[in-house]
Amino acid sequence: MTFRTLGSVAGLAMFAALSAQAQQTDLTIALQLEPPHLDPTSAAAGAIDSVLYANVFEGLTRFMSDGSVVPGLAKSWDISEDGTVYTFHLHDGVVFHDGTTMDAEDVKFSLDRARAEDSVNAQKALFAGITDVTVVDPLTVQVTLSQPDGNFLFNMAWGDAVIVAPETIDGIKQTPIGTGAFHFVDWTQGDSIRLERFGEYWGAPPALETATFKFISDPTAAFAAMMAQDIDAFAGFPAPENLPLFEADPRFQVLVGSTEGETILAMNNKQPPLDNVMVREAVAHAIDRQAIIDGAMFGLGTPIGTHFAPHNPDYVDLTGLSNYDPAKSKALLAEAGYPDGFTTTLKLPPPSYARRGGEIIAAQLRAVGIQTEITNLEWAQWLEEVFRGKDFGMTIVSHTEPFDIGIYARPDYYFQYDNPAFQDLMKTLTATTDPAKRSELIKEAETVIAKDYVNGYLFQLAFPTVADARLRGLWQNAPTQATDLTGVSWAE
């Protein structure tokens, strides 16, 4: 039996295909890095936020694609005249994915847990200024600070500050339960994480019904999967050399944005001989940034001379302090007592910028007499050995957290830079609310760490995304390490 109601079988097939496209509500998006677990409040791995930020978990405030901070679970807030008391007014009718109500008690629990003495929050310093969290009523919570903090609303937008429930905290690493537009379905470790639209979401419902995050670490495999359209998009595409092929193919769109990712050759400031500023300066002058950008990133990236984003209006171009000068590098090593150089470790996490960049940097250091023993680590190993264990000489990593120069005021942070004067400077910055004065202090902070050669400052990480040409609403820039799907849809 045949049907000809549309004039032809071909016409029926075409109509069905167009309808399927118009009605598509699923998405498969790939990332290079898989999270070590799924609790953004207890790990430094940005890969957790890449999947869960804004999708599954939400905070009192949140980042938008342009880096602005807007209300999140808090619909509004009042600030006391002295700038030390924030009264947050929460949205009504917010529920967690297990159906329980989110209220001021959950906010208090989350902030108290993050600032507790035994907290394992990777950004515990964000909460250090909080002296008290008081529940006024179910939809009102009052946060008292020890002094005014010009960054407080900004800090509350970080993934480390999302709101969680005490009832589900024990299983959060494997079964995350938040208040976001999508709820967690399952995690096939080594392969993918699945999310589904949450029917009781308090805000505007997303267009997507299902979203699958695939993890593809190998750049060659990433190219093959995208070209075969086995995936719909790849956020942070790891093979920039292939971007021209996608740009020339009408099936795809290529978005190249900026990030908050300062890519650095981090040095262990307490491990000899890197505890000597003269040696660290020698390392800095041995590095040819542009060669690394060209060789590892195929030209994508902006050179930096300090730990600050070049697109920020307060950025100071300090690349001249650590210009490529091998002769000066050798002279500094000799003056520091290492005329024949020295040997150290170079431990590299999985991203392409680290693995590819590491080989280039090792060759540049070798040219001035510095030998590096390269070890490739998976993220869990890197977090254990380098970030927590501080068992390294050098490493390469991109710090994707926004406005994170404050990490240099933490002596126990993994590169172990301990400068009391800088710590005082950052305390002053935190307590300053006047924009002009804040700008001066920020520029001074950038200059201090550049002149102390705390780390080798390489480049600001670019963020290329390859996607199906019909997709709309993907973030082009990455003001925080997130893959926000709440505004993503398929064009009809």
Side-chain angles (χ1 to χ4, degrees), residues 62-344:
R62 62 161 290 175
F63 293 114
M64 299 300 287
S65 60
D66 62 357
S68 60
V69 175
V70 300
L73 292 175
K75 62 182 181 180
S76 64
W77 47 82
D78 304 311
I79 307 173
S80 64
E81 285 190 15
D82 66 358
T84 62
V85 180
Y86 286 71
T87 303
F88 291 98
H89 306 285
L90 308 178
H91 282 283
D92 197 2
V94 180
V95 295
F96 286 102
H97 298 149
D98 62 355
T100 59
T101 300
M102 191 290 298
D103 59 22
E105 292 287 356
D106 297 301
V107 175
K108 177 175 171 57
F109 168 77
S110 300
L111 298 182
D112 283 348
R113 173 175 174 262
R115 69 191 185 96
E117 200 170 308
D118 60 352
S119 168
V120 292
N121 192 296
Q123 302 297 338
K124 188 177 177 181
L126 295 176
F127 312 92
I130 298 175
T131 59
D132 183 66
V133 182
T134 302
V135 172
V136 178
D137 60 49
L139 296 179
T140 312
V141 63
Q142 198 171 76
V143 181
T144 303
L145 308 179
S146 58
Q147 61 182 6
D149 184 350
N151 288 326
F152 184 63
L153 294 173
F154 182 89
N155 293 346
M156 291 300 98
W158 283 46
D160 308 81
V162 295
I163 304 305
V164 294
E167 298 87 357
T168 57
I169 203 68
D170 289 343
I172 191 173
K173 289 187 175 182
Q174 296 297 322
T175 309
I177 295 176
T179 59
F182 296 91
H183 69 89
F184 171 80
V185 178
D186 58 44
W187 179 13
T188 304
Q189 294 197 13
D191 181 67
S192 61
I193 288 174
R194 286 195 304 137
L195 308 179
E196 286 182 357
R197 185 164 64 195
F198 180 48
E200 297 178 69
Y201 182 55
W202 62 271
L208 297 175
E209 290 185 3
T210 62
T212 301
F213 285 87
K214 293 279 291 183
F215 307 111
I216 305 174
S217 60
D218 179 65
T220 303
F223 172 74
M226 196 71 238
M227 191 59 75
Q229 294 187 290
D230 294 333
I231 54 179
D232 301 314
F234 203 120
F237 189 72
E241 67 273 22
N242 296 139
L243 293 180
L245 294 173
F246 290 109
E247 289 172 331
D249 191 324
R251 296 177 300 162
F252 304 106
Q253 58 181 309
V254 176
L255 308 173
V256 179
S258 62
T259 75
E260 292 295 322
E262 291 82 29
T263 306
I264 63 174
L265 174 66
M267 292 182 268
N268 191 334
N269 281 230
K270 283 197 173 178
Q271 184 181 96
L274 296 170
D275 57 346
N276 184 330
V277 65
M278 201 175 293
V279 172
R280 297 197 301 271
E281 183 179 358
V283 170
H285 285 295
I287 294 170
D288 183 346
R289 295 183 183 91
Q290 196 59 51
I292 298 164
I293 293 170
D294 292 341
M297 303 304 296
F298 292 84
L300 290 182
T302 305
I304 56 172
T306 187
H307 197 110
F308 212 71
H311 54 257
N312 191 298
D314 288 325
Y315 176 72
V316 181
D317 185 358
L318 297 165
T319 50
L321 289 176
S322 51
N323 61 305
Y324 178 52
D325 190 341
K328 185 172 184 178
S329 179
K330 289 179 181 179
L332 285 165
L333 286 172
E335 190 177 348
Y338 298 92
D340 300 320
F342 61 92
T343 299
T344 189

Side-chain angles (χ1 to χ4, degrees), residues 358-381:
E359 296 293 339
I360 297 169
I361 287 175
Q364 293 175 352
L365 293 176
R366 196 179 307 122
V368 300
I370 300 172
Q371 306 297 324
T372 56
E373 298 171 353
I374 294 180
T375 306
N376 290 332
L377 302 176
E378 294 306 310
W379 267 121
Q381 293 174 289

